[in-house]
Amino acid sequence: MNVRSEDLTARARIRDAAVARFGRDGFRAPVRTIAQDAGVSAGLVIHHFGSKDALRAACDEHVLTVIREQKSAAITQASPAETIGLLATVREYAPLFAYIVRSLLDGGEVAAHFVDGLVDDAAAYLAAGEAAGTIRPSVDPPGRARQVIATQMGLLVLAQLDAAAGRGTAPTEDPGTAIEELTSRSMLAGLELYTHGLFTDTGYLDAYQHFRQDKEKP
Amino acid sequence: MNVRSEDLTARARIRDAAVARFGRDGFRAPVRTIAQDAGVSAGLVIHHFGSKDALRAACDEHVLTVIREQKSAAITQASPAETIGLLATVREYAPLFAYIVRSLLDGGEVAAHFVDGLVDDAAAYLAAGEAAGTIRPSVDPPGRARQVIATQMGLLVLAQLDAAAGRGTAPTEDPGTAIEELTSRSMLAGLELYTHGLFTDTGYLDAYQHFRQDKEKP
DNA sequence: GCCACGGCTGAACACGCGTTTAACGTAGTG
DNA sequence: CACTACGTTAAACGCGTGTTCAGCCGTGGC
């Protein structure tokens, strides 16, 4: 995704085409279609990767490494303003996100590991913020990290849904458009939620804690 | 799902079997498998529903109506304690949720409509809570509703992921187990988040609002 | 100049799966 | 009793698709 195709090796071109096509159409996308996207024959895809499953595994690995690099690049910029500024570049990686959503939806073990990684990272970020005083302490840090990641995944799924249903300006055309639209639609509310909360009092929280106590001691 | 199979009409038995099988294995599940689950032949499935797609449409409609009924039943109980009490019954409808997740993941237009309904409902609930004084006012009510629903969807997807990866006590066996485990793992953190928020100050929120202003007026 | 070799192709094969079809049994009806 | 209608089934058809195979073509070595 960094290099602008063309003079890439055929194998890499196939891989990139597969990531894009899988992200757009899901893993049901025929090998022949991917081959056509990459400008090669279907046989060559198999010749290079052995099987469609192996191709998908290669895509998984590739996406994971790219995301990991990008993540470690983002980790160096910690201030709120700079983190927000990363939004401008989100369009660049839209196909990657689309692929991840597809992988999630497919329910592969790889996706589960990937989410685990995200949750762990989020837990680390939150702990760091907690230490720095910008994040409130939690009674259940891992649960909170999971909650945060679930929200992000849910937003991605919703964006994917909108794109598939032909909402937005560009129907199904560019996955980046849907994600961009989604962020502009949900970011403010999300930050507001994370800043001020949702409830005015502790009624629900108290009720749940009582419910849990009753459950353990009937 | 209400009646305990057995003396159901074959058509209904097929539909229920399809909901369960689709929810468990996804829509790739062969018609023959569904037929076997329902104790009938593959041809009868087509004979009753016309095609696999039509069967899926019937499942969509059925699940939607059941959920709608359940939702309108839940709407009458408004207090925090009673809403929490609904958790106890979540297991009952686990196959429905599994089906919805599958439908979401498949990205059909029906799923998009379904999510739209959820978002609208959430917006109504939140507005009601706002009027009642239990929910904080928002600068972007629709966005907040979408955020809340996205979180729920994300949690369902994560539960589905865990189940597929064989986490939890029962590997892939019972979708209810995974959801129950998920709620017990995330509910506390979620309520905490919704009660107290995440950030200690308004830094991120301010930064994003400035970012937006700069974007509109460069 | 020629030979080998690896990237590459198009056609053919194999198979899973949705759907069709012909037939069978049974209940209701005249 | 015959006859129709309908629920039901097993076998067959056809299509989409992953994969294999035999061969082509350009390039580098001898």
Side-chain angles (χ1 to χ4, degrees):
Chain A
M1 290 300 157
N2 290 329
V3 195
R4 268 285 157 254
S5 356
E6 296 306 326
D7 48 15
L8 278 177
T9 165
R11 188 187 155 92
R13 231 173 34 215
I14 293 172
R15 168 173 44 66
D16 287 356
V19 168
R21 181 54 68 174
F22 281 151
R24 181 176 299 272
D25 296 353
F27 294 104
R28 283 176 289 187
V31 172
R32 293 180 226 269
T33 305
I34 296 168
Q36 195 174 347
D37 290 348
V40 298
S41 73
L44 190 64
V45 176
I46 303 298
H47 175 250
H48 274 307
F49 293 92
S51 74
K52 187 183 181 179
D53 280 345
L55 168 63
R56 190 192 154 175
C59 289
D60 278 334
E61 194 188 337
H62 179 244
V63 169
L64 254 61
T65 60
V66 171
I67 294 286
R68 217 184 312 260
E69 288 168 6
Q70 189 63 15
K71 209 157 56 178
S72 65
I75 215 175
T76 63
Q77 330 180 340
S79 83
E82 280 170 334
T83 305
I84 296 299
L86 285 179
L87 276 180
T89 74
V90 76
R91 238 200 129 92
E92 194 72 21
Y93 294 90
L96 281 301
F97 283 122
Y99 181 91
I100 289 174
V101 173
R102 260 21 234 246
S103 182
L104 246 56
L105 306 195
D106 196 65
E109 199 175 341
V110 185
H113 283 344
F114 177 63
V115 169
D116 284 349
L118 286 182
V119 172
D120 290 347
D121 288 350
Y125 295 156
L126 290 174
E130 204 172 321
T134 62
I135 302 288
R136 301 178 58 102
S138 171
V139 295
D140 178 14
R144 187 170 66 174
R146 197 176 165 85
Q147 187 85 11
V148 169
I149 293 301
T151 301
Q152 291 186 14
M153 295 301 108
L155 288 173
L156 285 177
V157 171
L158 259 58
Q160 160 62 30
L161 261 189
D162 281 357
R167 314 283 180 71
T169 55
T172 319
E173 196 180 328
D174 183 13
T177 307
I179 292 187
E180 202 173 49
E181 211 176 297
L182 177 86
T183 36
S184 77
R185 214 199 312 182
S186 294
M187 195 62 164
L188 183 59
L191 286 178
E192 181 192 71
L193 206 57
Y194 285 167
T195 303
H196 297 305
L198 184 68
F199 303 127
T200 53
D201 58 27
T202 61
Y204 280 92
L205 186 57
D206 295 343
Y208 181 69
Q209 282 172 328
H210 281 108
F211 169 75
R212 266 202 147 172
Q213 285 178 359
D214 293 351
K215 200 177 174 186
E216 286 175 359
K217 269 203 172 182
Chain B
M1 289 300 158
N2 290 328
V3 197
R4 267 288 158 253
S5 349
E6 294 308 325
D7 48 14
L8 277 177
T9 166
R11 187 187 156 94
R13 232 174 33 218
I14 293 172
R15 168 174 41 69
D16 287 356
V19 168
R21 180 56 67 176
F22 281 150
R24 182 176 299 274
D25 296 352
F27 294 103
R28 282 176 291 185
V31 173
R32 293 181 226 271
T33 305
I34 296 168
Q36 196 174 346
D37 290 348
V40 298
S41 73
L44 191 63
V45 176
I46 302 297
H47 175 250
H48 274 307
F49 294 92
S51 74
K52 187 182 183 181
D53 281 345
L55 168 63
R56 192 193 152 175
C59 290
D60 279 333
E61 194 188 338
H62 179 244
V63 170
L64 253 60
T65 59
V66 172
I67 294 285
R68 216 184 311 261
E69 288 168 5
Q70 190 63 14
K71 209 155 58 179
S72 65
I75 214 177
T76 63
Q77 331 180 339
S79 83
E82 281 171 332
T83 305
I84 297 300
L86 285 179
L87 276 181
T89 75
V90 76
R91 238 199 128 93
E92 194 72 21
Y93 294 91
L96 280 303
F97 283 122
Y99 181 90
I100 288 174
V101 173
R102 262 18 236 249
S103 181
L104 247 56
L105 307 195
D106 195 65
E109 199 175 340
V110 184
H113 283 343
F114 177 64
V115 168
D116 284 350
L118 287 182
V119 172
D120 290 346
D121 288 349
Y125 295 156
L126 291 175
E130 203 172 321
T134 61
I135 301 289
R136 301 178 58 103
S138 170
V139 296
D140 178 15
R144 186 170 67 174
R146 197 177 164 84
Q147 187 86 10
V148 169
I149 294 302
T151 302
Q152 292 186 14
M153 295 301 107
L155 288 173
L156 286 177
V157 171
L158 259 60
Q160 162 61 31
L161 262 188
D162 281 358
R167 313 283 178 70
T169 54
T172 318
E173 196 179 328
D174 183 13
T177 308
I179 291 186
E180 202 173 49
E181 210 176 298
L182 177 86
T183 35
S184 77
R185 214 199 312 181
S186 293
M187 196 61 164
L188 183 60
L191 286 178
E192 181 191 72
L193 207 57
Y194 285 167
T195 304
H196 297 305
L198 185 69
F199 303 128
T200 53
D201 58 26
T202 60
Y204 281 91
L205 187 56
D206 295 343
Y208 180 68
Q209 282 173 328
H210 281 107
F211 169 75
R212 266 203 146 171
Q213 285 178 358
D214 293 351
K215 199 176 173 187
E216 287 175 0
K217 268 203 172 181

